[in-house]
Amino acid sequence: MDPERQGNCMDSSGSAVVTRFAPSPTGYLHVGGARTALYSWLFARKQGGRFLLRIEDTDQKRNTEEAAAAIFEGLRWLDLGWDAEPVYQSQRLDIYNEYFRKLIDAGRAYECFVTPAELEAYRAQAREQKRDFIYKREWARITDAQRQKFIDEGRQPVLRLAMPEQAITVDDRVFGQVTTAAEQLEDFVIRKSDGFPTYHMAVVIDDALMGVTHVIRGQEHLGNTPKHIALQDALGLSRPTYAHLPILLNPDGSKISKRQDNPEMWSKGFPPVRVGDYQRRGYLPEALVNFLALLGWNPGDGRELMTRDELIAAFGPDRIVQSNARFNLEKLDWMNQQYIQGSPPDVLVRRLREFLAGTDYAAARADDAQLAALAPLYRQRARTLAEFAETSGFFFADAVELDPKAVEKVLLADDGAGLAELKRVRDLIASADPFEAVPMEEAFKAHCESLGLKLGKVAQPIRVAISGGTVSPPIFDTLVAIGREKSLARIDAAIEKATHWNDAPAAKDASLPQNAPGDVGP
RNA sequence: GGCCCCGUCGUCUAGCCAGGUCUAGGACACCAGGUUUUCAUCCUGGUAACUCGGGUUCAAAUCCCGACGGGGUCACCA
């Protein structure tokens, strides 16, 4: 998909860096995967190398194509471009078979007829005896007669790698040297009974064939790496440099999982699992990228808000942290706001447009000119695009809904002082010329001074009339954005309603039971 | 449970490898004050951490050992 123009890696020797992101097609881009992809991408860009994609679909009966498309979409949203067509493992069976052949011919792999049920029984037994069940060569040697018998029974063998009896050390760029003792290494399955390679087999072959020089992946794979090294040795394939990343955790230290992926958990501060949900919740991709980059890595000089180019320039595996990181949504919110504040107006409008498309926010009805008028008013006030949409709704409403609490506090309190003031300044608005924020503010300040009032005494009643509540952007900017006619109409409506606020409440109240105990406050 | 990894403010982290300059720095959040027409922004200040116990050393957040805590992994899933 729209491969980016390649970096300056074409001219160099054969040592150009190649990284890859290799998700299994789950149907969405996992936020942890996004960070892995980001680090791989940053490293490739920093080194002038290439960043590749591979879909690990050696298992699935699910819809690979659709599921992979969702992942591509997530990567595109984050603007993490890749440098060649993605590789699909399910289309490479011939290649894997070739390597299976080699292994068998070299005596490095053998058929195993033990069934999953039998294995499970052995494992259960081992657990009971508080032993490890580490599959060595137990069922490697069978006679031809036995083999024939198994086949006649309909058993489909798997292929296992004959592990050499020696410890294996991973030289990891993040965790250093990690050694696994020989006794811990088992003869793992490399070909499933359906003929497909296991993850271990496919990953080693594909990384080698794709020329991957640096494997950047989650720490959950650190324990698999000795297997991969053993396979590389057996196959005579090249060994990439490994860099394992610490795990991304929930605020409570638990692992981020799809099971928490719902609004209830979000309200408890759990981060969305799917990158698409960050988009839907009004985060800017550059903010997410910046935030993710800093979860487990830092430039070492205290910088936090960094452009993509700055991230690329500063990135390196040496400063990747070794401990797991908890996802702190509040900091993402802050960072997102920084990006909203820093976005050029036209970019912000475009982002709002994209965000609002297809939603039922009142703001979705706004045209670009209206959004452009509002953007400067909300860039200081919205941490996410969703907050913008939620708090700016009154601009687009046909009629404002007056918040009773606001009416009572601002308009009716003190014998209707606010209401009286609202009536008095109505004409100031009606006659404002030009109808612009600065001159209007001047006029109002003069008005207030002559009466010995603070501006707030005047601004709040207007705000309630215009927005329905006590919170809005600066009132004169708000009036201008809404327009003179609409503003006056809202003020008149508010005056009317407030004047009769306590008239005939019986009609309303009679039909309702008296306040139940435990009525909720604001 | 076995094996592996990790352990500095509530959170993300700097510092650790090359021990003193660390009365441990920054950021988010929080608290207080200031600016202000509301909210917010912005500015100033503040609370807050080296998991614990041994050892090495003149000196340890930094080196070593142990305990405890957290995480990962133990599939014919990736």
Side-chain angles (χ1 to χ4, degrees), chain A residues 6-19 43-44 47-52 210-214:
Chain A
Q6 311 204 328
N8 53 356
C9 57
M10 305 283 289
D11 49 34
S12 56
S13 50
S15 65
V17 161
V18 177
T19 64
F43 185 65
Q47 299 296 326
R50 299 196 301 147
F51 172 64
L52 306 178
M210 290 165 75
V212 172
T213 58
H214 296 256

Side-chain angles (χ1 to χ4, degrees), chain A residues 314-472:
Chain A
F315 189 80
D318 296 342
R319 297 203 60 89
I320 292 176
V321 169
Q322 290 166 300
S323 50
N324 296 339
R326 298 184 188 209
F327 198 108
N328 183 198
L329 264 185
E330 285 176 330
K331 186 147 185 178
L332 206 213
D333 284 343
W334 168 79
M335 198 168 267
N336 202 56
Q337 181 176 48
Q338 297 302 306
Y339 275 88
I340 286 177
Q341 284 189 82
S343 291
D346 57 318
V347 172
L348 190 51
V349 169
R350 204 176 73 232
R351 284 283 151 69
L352 281 167
R353 240 314 53 92
E354 292 163 3
F355 174 76
L356 291 167
T359 69
D360 14 294
Y361 288 112
R365 299 203 294 266
D367 59 32
D368 281 3
Q370 288 175 299
L371 289 182
L374 256 41
L377 303 186
Y378 276 95
R379 62 181 351 167
Q380 314 286 131
R381 276 162 255 271
R383 294 185 302 176
T384 63
L385 301 178
E387 275 187 13
F388 171 96
E390 281 156 17
T391 56
S392 65
F394 71 87
F395 278 92
F396 312 102
D398 295 324
V400 280
E401 259 184 69
L402 295 175
D403 170 20
K405 284 203 158 43
V407 171
E408 278 157 28
K409 181 179 166 205
V410 177
L411 296 179
L412 303 180
D414 290 329
D415 283 332
L419 179 55
E421 199 51 51
L422 183 60
K423 289 175 180 166
R424 189 146 52 167
V425 295
R426 184 204 182 278
D427 286 343
L428 229 38
I429 294 170
S431 62
D433 184 33
F435 194 69
E436 286 167 14
V438 174
M440 229 189 303
E441 182 174 345
E442 295 303 319
F444 272 76
K445 276 185 173 158
H447 167 82
C448 287
E449 206 164 327
S450 70
L451 293 171
L453 283 174
K454 293 183 78 172
L455 191 51
K457 288 288 176 199
V458 178
Q460 278 307 76
I462 302 173
R463 196 175 330 265
V464 170
I466 294 295
S467 74
T470 55
V471 175
S472 86

Side-chain angles (χ1 to χ4, degrees), chain A residues 223-249:
Chain A
N224 287 145
T225 311
K227 294 177 183 169
H228 301 170
I229 289 175
L231 226 26
Q232 284 150 3
D233 289 348
L235 289 165
L237 293 174
S238 60
R239 179 180 311 174
T241 298
Y242 288 101
H244 287 90
L245 268 26
I247 310 276
L248 238 44
L249 264 19

